């Protein structure tokens, strides 16, 4: 800011003899120039546009701010926001509100400050809209599998059942999934065919709001994992997921079996040309510290909004042992739901009704809504 003022004082000498017209012109073009400078603080003496006919594009300025001013700056955005990020934005705004008054010879507050207020309002609105669009129906809670859907539907914003065409009545958004490459088993092959039809269809009903990527491709196929090589994954992704994204569908990444120990997704991310919009993850832990570790890993590694598409109470230390104590399960559910609801990095989460979770965790047991299901319903009902 000090360097800017020195440059600006030198500029005053030229302006003072030019009269109010030039001062007004400088005032009008000042903000868009420094809105760009805020992204590169080394460029403190960038020349003003020489063509006086070029009026500032305020819509472009809003777009710049909406891109770089996120709910919570991600690691991928850190290069755009100077450290500390708040100083970068405040410098841009303070420089934008300074104008030279030829009548008084003072640095005075510009009338453009009212425009800045409008810009900040628009930026906040745009950011909020973008954030809400990744929270299904404005409700984070969901369920993996159609189990107990009729009981939960007034309290969840979304659901899926690992297929390409989930369908049930009600407001919760049904999210299709590209489960695997079609090689794991007959169900996988059928799901692939259904997703191929979804991807190639031109009908308006084939434009889902969200779609999920592969189910645990980093583990051997069987037991609920799709099991495929990175190369297979990249090929199917670009052939089937990319067309949906071009039509406006928001895409979730493949979800990893190995949780924070994953390596498959890192390699996959480096080879695809169609990036995902939110990172879909599975959390199988039996304590909140373990849950936080997984969330931190995916946030720090990929820097994108997180959907926890499956969570369950599991002791995953050196094995995969589902929890069996109902009291422990109930406590875990309430802790995790509270954590997900209050963590701004998590945009959606779902109780898992997947395979291999024992006899106590599942939401439905022999057609009866279980104690675990009741605990989840009570936990999410506090919020929705």
């Amino acid at each position: 800011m000090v360097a800017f003022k020195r440059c600006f004082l030198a500029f005053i000498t030229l302006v003072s003899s030019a009269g109010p017209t030039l001062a007004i012109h400088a005032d009008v073009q000042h903000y868009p120039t420094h809105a760009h400078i805020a992204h590169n603080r080394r460029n403190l003496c960038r020349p003003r546009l020489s063509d006086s006919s070029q009026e500032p594009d305020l819509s472009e300025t809003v777009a710049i701010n909406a891109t770089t001013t996120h709910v919570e700056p991600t690691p991928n955005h850190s290069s755009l926001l100077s450290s500390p990020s708040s100083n970068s934005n405040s410098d841009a705004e303070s420089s934008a509100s300074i104008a030279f008054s030829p009548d008084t010879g003072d640095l005075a507050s510009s009338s453009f400050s009212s425009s800045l207020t409008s810009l900040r309002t628009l930026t906040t609105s745009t950011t909020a809209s973008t954030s809400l669009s990744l929270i299904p129906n404005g409700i984070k809670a969901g369920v993996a599998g159609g189990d107990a859907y009729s009981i939960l539907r007034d309290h969840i914003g979304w659901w899926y059942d690992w297929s390409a065409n989930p369908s049930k009545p009600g407001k919760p958004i049904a999210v299709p999934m590209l489960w695997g490459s079609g090689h794991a088993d007959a169900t996988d092959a059928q799901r692939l065919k259904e997703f191929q039809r979804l991807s190639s269809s031109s009908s308006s009903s084939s434009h889902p709001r969200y779609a999920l990527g592969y189910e645990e491709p980093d583990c051997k196929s069987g037991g609920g994992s799709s099991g495929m090589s990175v190369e297979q994954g990249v090929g199917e992704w670009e052939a089937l997921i990319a067309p949906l994204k071009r039509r406006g569908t928001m895409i979730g990444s493949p979800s990893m079996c190995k949780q924070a120990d994953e390596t498959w997704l890192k390699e996959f991310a480096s080879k695809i040309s169609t990036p995902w919009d939110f990172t879909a993850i599975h959390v199988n832990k039996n304590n909140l510290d373990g849950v936080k570790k997984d969330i931190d890993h995916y946030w720090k590694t990929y820097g994108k909004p997180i959907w926890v598409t499956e969570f369950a109470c599991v002791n995953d230390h050196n094995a995969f042992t589902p929890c069996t104590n109902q009291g422990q399960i109930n406590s875990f559910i309430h802790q995790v739901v509270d954590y997900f609801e209050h963590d701004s990095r998590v945009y959606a989460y779902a109780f898992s009704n997947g395979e291999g979770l024992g006899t106590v965790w599942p939401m439905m047991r022999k057609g009866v809504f279980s104690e675990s299901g009741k605990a989840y319903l009570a936990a999410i009902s506090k919020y929705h």
Side-chain angles (χ1 to χ4, degrees):
M1 191 65 193
V2 173
F4 163 73
K5 289 181 177 178
R6 290 175 179 171
C7 295
F8 194 85
L9 289 174
F11 176 63
I12 289 174
T13 304
L14 297 176
V15 174
S16 59
S17 62
T21 301
L22 182 56
I24 293 172
H25 178 71
D27 180 34
V28 172
Q29 289 203 339
H30 203 75
Y31 180 75
T33 299
H34 285 276
H36 289 281
I37 288 174
H39 300 308
N40 184 356
R41 297 174 67 86
R42 294 173 296 179
N43 193 12
L44 291 175
C45 288
R46 177 176 173 177
R48 185 167 56 83
L49 296 174
S50 59
D51 182 2
S52 61
S53 66
Q54 293 182 355
E55 294 296 326
D57 186 349
L58 298 185
S59 63
E60 179 182 356
T61 305
V62 172
I64 292 171
N65 284 343
T67 300
T68 59
T69 307
H70 203 268
V71 173
E72 182 173 313
T74 70
N76 290 349
H77 293 161
S78 59
S79 61
L80 298 177
L81 297 175
S82 302
S83 180
S85 59
S86 58
N87 290 343
S88 174
N89 290 335
S90 62
D91 283 356
E93 292 184 3
S94 61
S95 63
S97 62
I98 296 174
F100 177 71
S101 171
D103 298 326
T104 64
D106 296 329
L107 289 175
S109 175
S110 166
S111 61
F112 200 79
S113 60
S114 60
S115 297
L116 273 178
T117 301
S118 299
L119 287 173
R120 283 193 290 266
T121 301
L122 286 172
T123 297
T124 302
S125 176
T126 302
T127 300
S129 176
T130 300
S131 299
L132 288 175
S133 69
L134 281 170
I135 300 177
N137 281 337
I139 300 175
K140 291 185 178 184
V143 64
D147 307 57
Y149 173 85
S150 61
I151 300 173
L152 298 173
R153 68 180 179 184
D154 291 336
H155 302 278
I156 60 175
W158 68 289
W159 72 285
Y160 75 109
D161 61 3
W162 301 283
S163 75
N165 53 2
S167 177
K168 287 183 181 294
K171 293 182 179 179
I173 297 172
V175 181
M177 184 179 200
L178 175 58
W179 192 87
S181 61
H183 299 95
D185 53 30
T187 301
D188 181 19
Q190 182 61 34
R191 286 171 172 167
L192 178 62
K193 291 179 181 178
E194 292 170 353
F195 201 93
Q196 287 171 336
R197 285 195 289 269
L198 174 70
S199 178
S200 61
S201 176
S202 59
S203 68
S204 58
S205 61
S206 298
H207 299 171
R209 192 177 305 180
Y210 313 102
L212 297 174
Y214 311 118
E215 174 81 2
E216 300 183 351
D218 57 327
C219 280
K220 184 179 179 180
S221 61
S225 299
S226 62
M228 68 178 77
S229 68
V230 171
E231 288 70 24
Q232 282 179 309
V234 171
E236 296 289 350
W237 182 271
E238 297 300 344
L240 300 176
I241 290 291
L244 287 180
K245 185 174 175 68
R246 287 193 292 269
R247 298 203 296 265
T249 298
M250 287 178 279
I251 304 300
S253 73
S255 50
M256 297 297 103
C257 167
K258 297 179 181 179
Q259 304 176 88
D261 296 324
E262 58 87 11
T263 58
W264 194 99
L265 192 61
K266 293 186 184 75
E267 183 181 351
F268 178 79
S270 70
K271 293 183 177 181
I272 56 173
S273 57
T274 303
W276 62 82
D277 299 292
F278 56 92
T279 306
I281 75 172
H282 290 177
V283 175
N284 293 299
K285 294 289 188 291
N286 63 356
N287 60 77
L288 193 56
D289 286 340
V291 175
K292 292 177 179 179
K293 177 184 175 182
D294 285 350
I295 298 296
D296 288 344
H297 165 75
Y298 285 98
W299 179 257
K300 292 175 181 177
T301 304
Y302 303 104
K304 294 190 177 186
I306 292 172
W307 279 32
V308 182
T309 54
E310 293 183 24
F311 80 87
C313 186
V314 174
N315 181 351
D316 68 337
H317 184 67
N318 296 327
F320 189 92
T321 307
C323 299
T324 57
N325 182 286
Q326 190 68 64
Q328 179 190 16
I329 288 174
N330 293 353
S331 176
F332 176 78
I333 289 172
H334 281 276
Q335 288 180 13
V336 168
V337 166
D338 288 345
Y339 175 69
F340 289 157
E341 287 290 342
H342 290 96
D343 193 317
S344 62
R345 300 170 298 178
V346 177
Y347 287 64
Y349 61 88
F351 185 107
S352 176
N353 280 307
E355 297 181 23
L357 295 175
T359 60
V360 183
W361 174 265
M363 192 170 285
M364 297 294 293
R365 282 188 299 205
K366 297 181 179 180
V368 177
F369 194 47
S370 71
E371 291 301 315
S372 298
K374 292 175 183 177
Y376 184 61
L377 177 59
I380 63 177
S381 294
K382 293 188 298 183
Y383 301 97
H384 314 296

